[in-house]
Amino acid sequence: METTTQPEAEHGEHNDDHSHGHAEQSFFTKYIFSTDHKVIGIQYGVGALVFLLMGFILIMGMRWQMAKPDTPVPVLGPILEKVYAHEIALDGQGKTVPIFKDGKITASGYNQFGAMHGTIMVFLAIVPLGFAAFGNYVVPLQIGAPDMCFPRVNMASFWAFFAGCTVMTVSFFIPGGAAQAGWTSYSPLASVIPTDGQTYWLVGMVLLITSSLLGAVNFIATIIQLRAPGMTWFRMPFFVWAQFVTAFLLLLAFPPLEAAGIMQLMDRVCDTSFFLPSGVFASGTEPMNVSGGGSPLLWQHLFWFLGHPEVYVLILPAIGIVTEIISNNTRRPIWGYRLMVGSLLVLGFLSFIVWAHHMYLTGMSSKVATFFQTTTMIISIPSVILLTCLFMSLWRGSIRFNTPSMFALAFLPMFGIGGLTGLPLGFNFTDLHLHDSYYVIAHFHYVVAPGSIFALFAGIYYWFPKMTGRRMSEYWGKVHFWGSLIFMNIIFMPMFIQGFAGMSRRMSDGGATYSMINNPDVTSGALTDQVMSLNSLITMGAFGMGLVQIVFIVNFFWSIRNGEKTNSDNPWKATTLEWQTPTPPPHGNFLEQPKTYHGPYEYSNPDVDNGKGFLAQNDPHKSVSEEQKEAEA
Amino acid sequence: MEIPYYDKERPDTGLYNGKAGIWLFLASEVMLFGALFSAYVLLRVGAEPGTWSMGLMNQWVGAFNTLILIASSATIVMAWVCLKLNDWKGFRKWKWATVIFAFTFLVVKWSYEWPAKFTHYDVTFVTEESASKVYTDVLGPEFSETQSKIWQERFDPLKKDQEKSPLAQVKLKDKPLDGHIVGYIDSDGVEHEVGAAWGIPFWSHAFAWRHDRKNIEKEKDKSIRYGEDGRPVYKEGHFRDTFRDKDIKAIIFVPAHGTWDREEKHAGSGAIKYAEAKHDAGHAHSEGHGHTITIAREDISRLSSYEPAHSTFFATYYTLTGLHALHVLGGILVMLYHLLPVSRRVYEKNPVQFTNRIEITGLFWHFVDLVWIFLFPILYLL
Amino acid sequence: MSDEHSPEYYKKKFIPLIYLVGGILIVGTIITFAADKMGIAERWGFVNAIIFAMSVAVVKASAVIYIFMHLKWDIKLKTISLTLGCTVIFFIGMMWLTVGSEIDSNKPGHSDNTWNHVTEPEPETAPETK
């Protein structure tokens, strides 16, 4: 029984009742200032992908610098120097340092690229893509709603995001360049650094946080209020649950960072001392002329109070996407759906009380450190439960190996590596050695890069047919997959080794200052040649990764027009509601409000005998024989 | 395309969409103000002895504002009740009352409380000698005991363990002299009145100078041009309107504490009486009155009005009350929108929708009131 | 808002309730103000003064939340009280953790003198053995 192929007449009658929605919309209200969640989702998605690329380009520049410290960047170096060289990073009083010099990235430029790489990847790429783009597009469809609860607030949220992105991008081109104090913007450095780029960063963050807060309110209200009849809480696809918890994390965790951002802005603009301790020297021989009495640790607490839930915001939508794709491509229900939902809720709650594990080395007392260590260990349990349930969902599955499912399957071990390598960081005593080393970089990149990003790629390949009616090329998708998988591991696995050897983060010369070659009289602790040589390997991996992404970009754009057309609205033969609509879904999503009869993963149910191998959520009939009985009755 | 449950409540949640949305938004606002409150607590606990001034807030004004806000909270509920009873005129009456109360709150805060602080200065001195020189001028030969007592009232009213207290170790030069600046003397010995910015005779070392950035000369590559003294060079005819860069040799100061008469011995009676000072503020005096003193620039270590940059206490105070005031302003704008003629049409077309809008505004407004309920004791009283 | 309340209910019960809450708020403010003016911090100690002021504030806040914001009728009383209670406990717990991590007494080698504002010299670290 299909609700998707209603005859045109019904469609026409149905719409006469509505006062808005089907009047002719101008180009602007239809594509630019649209309140339709699908358009907004695509806007977020395209924007996020652009920034994903931009963040990647920044890190490629940095990796070049690390592998070949005093070599000009090939081809682009002289060009960038002309474009960028007239912006000079101020360095104290009157001394200036260029960002590009002779085609080489200077240390100041490296810092800027580093700070902005982190900011852009986290706040302008992954969160908008995972939460805002996929969430906006898919969640209303999956719960049977005609749109989000507050469509105009949704649009406002996108344009606030756009404004924040503009401010962040513009900050590169102002005198002094962009922010330099790391994506964490620690005071006192961030409060005293004279470049305006740091202020722009704060303003951009306030705009982005506002956008996320509006979006979070929208998501939660939509999921609570707009579920279609029959769509009970435990019939919702897991992806919707993941977005629900993510929205709560954003709602409750972002405001402290906004407050902290306002305070740091006041430190910079109004000379307050929220985060500046007494007697702080910025440069020169006299202490700064501020009141003092502030606490740099206050910034750290407020930042990481957001920072920890933020990393769950990065991973939960990804886990949601992977769940959908795994269930669909194994043709069996998820193992432990309710257990996974419970774990999700516990994870959400616990994520608020673990933040100081980012601050073990700040001199906190052992009582407090013990508390955070304990909660950090406890929070690993729900994460493991989620991963285990997903692994168990493969058992006895009839696995289809298409591009989305391969990305989703690869997510599992990659996220596993990322999670397991987090354990030494969660313990105070091992973190002593590993804090701020390359081990940390490897750990979080494993979770986010071959973790979240793979899931997001999977989502793009998976939902592309619903958005456009065409498939992306399977062959080139698999090339993209294998290339990304191999190069991701080449890039990040050696970083664990570098971290164990003690190589610190944020060193623009790739650790050369501390290498054995440059410190021949140091007997222990210097970085060995093998460790240093890994830099080149990693950089080559990074460039390889870049090449493979070109494949993806071309595939994406080419398939929009020329991809293989799907002949049905449900090419993956999925059960969830978004596949039971026309392709692409019209304004209002469903021709008539769907009624839900079953759970979200009714694949290969032996009691179901409809010849299809799956039972769509809104399909009132379970079996052919039932239908016959009804026909006779 | 209609969004369901726009006005109707959804049976299982009992909420209509707008109500769900506003409660979620209020949850995030609780976190926002909670973060600021916790910053206050952290900074207060960690403050160095002798840096956290108490008793500088005018509690009577604060209490007045509290009562005003409470009244506005009650009137907005009354407005909503009138709508439920289909009493349009009653609604408008109570809504206007709310707007007027809210507006009064802002007027008291932004045109009395804050400006009063911007015109009041603290001076600390470079050496003990310079401090005692000035204090003798003001307080007479027995100044040190009086000043210490006054200072004790301000920074440690509870006098815990006074003998062991490190407050006793704070030197005279770091105990600030507070009052108003009425003029200054330049290097030629000419006396000037204090400049006013935006009609307010405030002359801060930090606040106003940001606006002079555009008057700084720049090099070709847009970096700041520095003179031989290491300071930025200003364009012809422009000055940094602050103490540090004006040609000042001495300031003419009207101390407040000479007339500072506290009836009670403990913190909290922040009614700083500067009867004579008020009388003098804004006019230059050089002779005769006996209430002004002259302080040489070289004796001054730090000069700051009660602005955000003054101390972390004031920084937090302004941030908290400023953010709160912005929320009050936002609420006023929304309520004014509800009083426009167009609202009558909305009400007539769909009374439930309009009533719901007022209810949502009311919920926001009560949250604003709740923040103030906690702000008032924490900032003004404790 | 569903029709739980009839017009008579509004006139007879709810409006007087509004005045009652207004009265509670005004009285609460006067109590806190008077307590401060009469020297509560000196008589009972600073910490107890905070507890007193915050308790009065919580009473005022509860009146606003339950009556003005209409939660008493909107959600089951148990749910909202539990949520608010948990929020308060959470906040206090967070403050304890963050302030606790900064109090000298909790750091290795120090003794408790935060509230006395006595500056102790930093404890000596073990001498270098080489």
Side-chain angles (χ1 to χ4, degrees), chain A residues 295 297-298 301 305 349 352-353 355 362-368 371-372, chain C residues 86 90 93-108:
Chain A
S295 171
L297 276 177
L298 175 63
H301 279 296
F305 188 81
F349 169 69
F352 282 100
I353 51 176
W355 80 88
T362 55
M364 58 174 72
S365 73
S366 52
K367 277 185 238 168
V368 175
F371 173 82
F372 282 108
Chain C
C86 288
F90 184 78
M94 292 301 104
M95 287 320 304
W96 199 344
L97 281 174
T98 43
V99 172
S101 69
E102 304 236 9
I103 292 181
D104 277 346
S105 69
N106 287 337
K107 296 190 184 168

Side-chain angles (χ1 to χ4, degrees), chain B residues 7 9 13-16 19 23 26 30-31 34-35 37-39 41-42 44-45 47-49 54 59-60 63 66-67 70 73-75 77-78 80-81 84-85 94 156-158 160-161 164-167 169 264-270 356 359 362-364 366-367 369-370 373-374 376-378 380-382, chain C residues 1-3 5-8 10-11 14-15 18-19 21-27 29-30 32-43 45-47 49-51 53-54 56-58 60-62 64-65 67-71 74-75 80 87 90-91 95 98-103 114-119:
Chain B
D7 290 329
E9 284 111 25
T13 60
L15 297 165
Y16 55 90
K19 204 169 200 180
W23 273 110
L26 292 182
V30 165
M31 297 303 289
F37 275 115
S38 50
V41 173
L42 201 79
R44 172 84 185 258
V45 168
E48 294 283 317
M54 296 172 245
Q59 293 158 329
W60 290 98
T66 310
L67 296 172
I70 289 172
S73 218
T75 54
V77 186
M78 288 302 301
W80 176 72
V81 168
K84 285 297 240 204
L85 298 174
W94 290 111
D156 185 29
L158 298 183
K160 291 184 79 107
D161 296 310
K164 291 189 276 160
S165 163
L167 291 171
Q169 298 163 19
E264 287 94 13
K265 288 285 179 197
H266 55 78
S269 68
N356 287 345
E359 184 176 10
L363 286 173
F364 177 77
H366 291 128
F367 172 76
D369 186 32
L370 275 176
I373 285 175
F374 284 97
F376 174 62
I378 290 179
Y380 285 78
L381 300 178
L382 289 171
Chain C
M1 189 50 226
S2 62
D3 296 313
H5 300 317
S6 60
E8 295 77 38
Y10 277 118
K11 288 208 186 77
F14 195 67
I15 292 183
I18 295 177
Y19 286 114
V21 170
I24 293 176
L25 293 174
I26 294 174
V27 166
T29 311
I30 294 176
T32 327
F33 192 69
D36 185 71
K37 283 252 176 271
M38 294 195 305
I40 187 174
E42 280 79 26
R43 303 226 184 123
F46 191 61
V47 177
I50 295 178
I51 295 175
M54 286 299 104
V56 176
V58 164
K60 287 157 85 176
S62 308
V64 171
I65 292 173
I67 313 277
F68 276 179
M69 293 170 101
H70 215 265
L71 273 184
D74 279 350
I75 308 184
I80 184 62
T87 314
F90 184 78
F91 182 72
M95 287 320 304
T98 43
V99 172
S101 69
E102 304 236 9
I103 292 181
T114 313
W115 299 102
N116 300 334
H117 287 296
V118 174
T119 331

